[in-house]
């Protein structure tokens, strides 16, 4: 592990916990309740505030603002947290906010994500592993994004929306309703437009699984999502069962069970 290096023009407030091999560049500001895991890199001009943990080997690029107070008028300074996992790439001008008392008090980001320039993760969100937010994509408060989700550039996700594992949101799309796992949503007002076939193939889905999912989408298009899901639930398996569980499950944060992100030192 490389030695820890803190630039003399950085401000690291007393109380901050800094792991081994951390690099903090010039003009960064690290607050007193911040915890940086081993090998974290803050390039320069990065602000990390509040009760924020950043997991090992995450790299934060210039002008990102991590852990500053939520953009919620109901927030009154209560103690809430932001937990970011390991090996994330957080690019320029990204903003990530901690939770609010009314939303559970926690914003959580998983491991191995890529958050491109200008993207935003709002208060009380739960973001899975290997998630990609493309440039200037914004995720509003209380949203849940499963593992392997991709949100295209300049897209917006409305508050309280769930996006299932492996789904893809096209560029310049406004998402106002839940998105099933492995779904593809695109358009000025997003609607389900099929399956995220590229993502399914990358994750090893067989031709038979894809055919079964396509058949399910055809059935769903003919009637009520929930009635169709109930009728097919007990006879389905694998990814099809995952989609049906999502449709029949609660429309809240329990869709993605909170789990400890990689612990920061």
């Amino acid at each position: 592990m490389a030695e820890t290096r803190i630039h003399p023009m950085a401000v690291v407030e007393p109380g901050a916990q800094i792991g081994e091999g951390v690099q903090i560049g010039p003009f960064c500001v690290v607050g007193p309740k911040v915890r940086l895991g081993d090998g974290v890199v803050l390039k320069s001009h990065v602000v990390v505030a509040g009760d924020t943990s950043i997991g090992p080997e995450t790299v934060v690029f210039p002008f990102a603002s991590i852990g500053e107070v939520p953009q919620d008028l109901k927030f009154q300074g209560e103690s809430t947290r932001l937990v970011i996992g390991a090996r994330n790439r957080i690019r320029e001008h990204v903003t990530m906010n901690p939770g609010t008392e009314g939303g559970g008090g926690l914003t959580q980001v998983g491991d191995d994500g890529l958050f491109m320039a200008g993207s935003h993760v709002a208060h009380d969100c739960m973001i899975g592993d290997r998630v990609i937010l493309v440039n200037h994509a914004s995720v509003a408060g209380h949203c849940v994004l499963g593992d392997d989700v991709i949100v295209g550039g300049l897209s917006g996700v409305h508050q309280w929306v769930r996006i299932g594992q492996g789904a893809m949101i096209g560029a310049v799309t406004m998402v106002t309703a839940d998105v099933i796992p492995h779904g593809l949503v695109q358009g000025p007002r997003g609607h389900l437009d099929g399956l995220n076939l590229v993502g399914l193939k990358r994750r090893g889905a067989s031709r038979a699984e894809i055919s079964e999912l396509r058949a399910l989408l055809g059935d769903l298009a003919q009637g009520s999502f929930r009635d169709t899901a109930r009728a097919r639930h007990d006879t389905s398996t694998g990814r099809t069962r995952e989609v049906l569980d999502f449709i029949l499950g609660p429309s809240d944060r329990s869709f993605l069970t909170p789990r400890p992100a990689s612990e920061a030192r």
Side-chain angles (χ1 to χ4, degrees), residues 17 62 80 166 258:
Q17 299 177 33
T80 60

Side-chain angles (χ1 to χ4, degrees), residues 35-58:
R35 295 169 297 283
L36 302 181
D38 294 346
V40 166
V41 176
L42 309 182
K43 292 279 193 176
S44 71
H45 298 84
V46 174
V47 174
V48 187
D51 187 347
T52 297
S53 298
I54 300 181
E57 300 180 43
T58 287

Side-chain angles (χ1 to χ4, degrees), residues 3 30 57 92 98 140 201 206 255:
E3 66 174 321
V30 178
E57 300 180 43
E92 297 83 355
K201 291 173 182 175
S206 67
F255 152 64

Side-chain angles (χ1 to χ4, degrees), residues 23-101:
Q23 299 179 40
I24 301 176
F27 307 109
C28 292
V29 178
V30 178
K33 295 183 179 180
V34 169
R35 295 169 297 283
L36 302 181
D38 294 346
V40 166
V41 176
L42 309 182
K43 292 279 193 176
S44 71
H45 298 84
V46 174
V47 174
V48 187
D51 187 347
T52 297
S53 298
I54 300 181
E57 300 180 43
T58 287
V59 179
V60 187
F61 286 74
F63 303 104
S65 177
I66 309 299
E68 277 290 1
V69 298
Q71 299 176 74
D72 183 340
L73 294 175
K74 297 185 296 298
F75 184 74
Q76 299 296 319
E78 58 266 24
S79 177
T80 60
R81 297 186 297 142
L82 169 63
V83 177
I84 299 171
R87 299 175 303 278
N88 288 287
R89 295 296 179 266
I90 300 173
R91 296 302 306 245
E92 297 83 355
H93 299 281
V94 168
T95 52
M96 294 183 177
N97 298 145
T100 62
E101 186 175 42

Side-chain angles (χ1 to χ4, degrees), residues 3-264:
E3 66 174 321
T4 297
R5 292 187 294 170
I6 301 175
H7 195 280
M9 300 186 76
V11 176
V12 179
E13 298 191 41
Q17 299 177 33
I18 308 299
E20 296 180 6
V22 169
Q23 299 179 40
I24 301 176
F27 307 109
C28 292
V29 178
V30 178
K33 295 183 179 180
V34 169
R35 295 169 297 283
L36 302 181
D38 294 346
V40 166
V41 176
L42 309 182
K43 292 279 193 176
S44 71
H45 298 84
V46 174
V47 174
V48 187
D51 187 347
T52 297
S53 298
I54 300 181
E57 300 180 43
T58 287
V59 179
V60 187
F61 286 74
F63 303 104
S65 177
I66 309 299
E68 277 290 1
V69 298
Q71 299 176 74
D72 183 340
L73 294 175
K74 297 185 296 298
F75 184 74
Q76 299 296 319
E78 58 266 24
S79 177
T80 60
R81 297 186 297 142
L82 169 63
V83 177
I84 299 171
R87 299 175 303 278
N88 288 287
R89 295 296 179 266
I90 300 173
R91 296 302 306 245
E92 297 83 355
H93 299 281
V94 168
T95 52
M96 294 183 177
N97 298 145
T100 62
E101 186 175 42
L106 173 66
T107 301
Q108 182 167 290
V109 176
D111 300 335
D112 301 300
L114 173 58
F115 300 88
M116 296 189 192
S119 57
H120 173 61
V121 176
H123 58 88
D124 305 297
C125 285
M126 296 182 62
I127 309 295
D129 298 336
R130 300 175 301 280
V131 167
I132 299 175
L133 300 187
V134 182
N135 301 72
H136 299 285
S138 293
V139 181
H142 312 282
C143 289
V144 181
L145 275 60
D147 296 343
D148 302 300
V149 165
I150 299 175
V151 181
L154 298 169
S155 294
V157 181
H158 194 274
Q159 61 189 10
W160 298 105
V161 162
R162 302 178 303 153
I163 300 181
Q165 177 178 353
M168 174 176 279
I169 309 303
V172 198
T173 296
M174 181 62 201
V175 182
T176 58
D178 291 352
V179 179
I180 62 171
H182 314 294
L184 172 64
V185 169
Q186 56 189 354
R189 280 286 179 179
H191 61 278
L192 187 63
D193 198 36
L195 295 171
N196 179 13
L197 294 174
V198 172
L200 283 166
K201 291 173 182 175
R202 285 176 177 169
R203 286 182 284 278
S206 67
R207 182 173 296 181
E209 285 181 297
I210 292 172
S211 296
E212 187 177 13
L213 284 168
R214 279 178 162 155
L216 173 62
L217 258 62
D219 290 347
L220 292 171
Q222 302 303 312
S224 163
F225 263 39
R226 294 186 70 85
D227 289 346
T228 302
R230 289 190 188 98
R232 292 198 49 173
H233 184 268
D234 292 341
T235 59
S236 298
T237 60
R239 287 180 168 88
T240 301
R241 182 68 169 266
E242 179 186 349
V243 173
L244 297 173
D245 285 342
F246 180 93
I247 293 170
L248 295 173
S251 296
D252 60 18
R253 293 164 62 93
S254 62
F255 152 64
L256 185 65
T257 303
R259 66 193 189 285
S262 300
E263 290 295 327

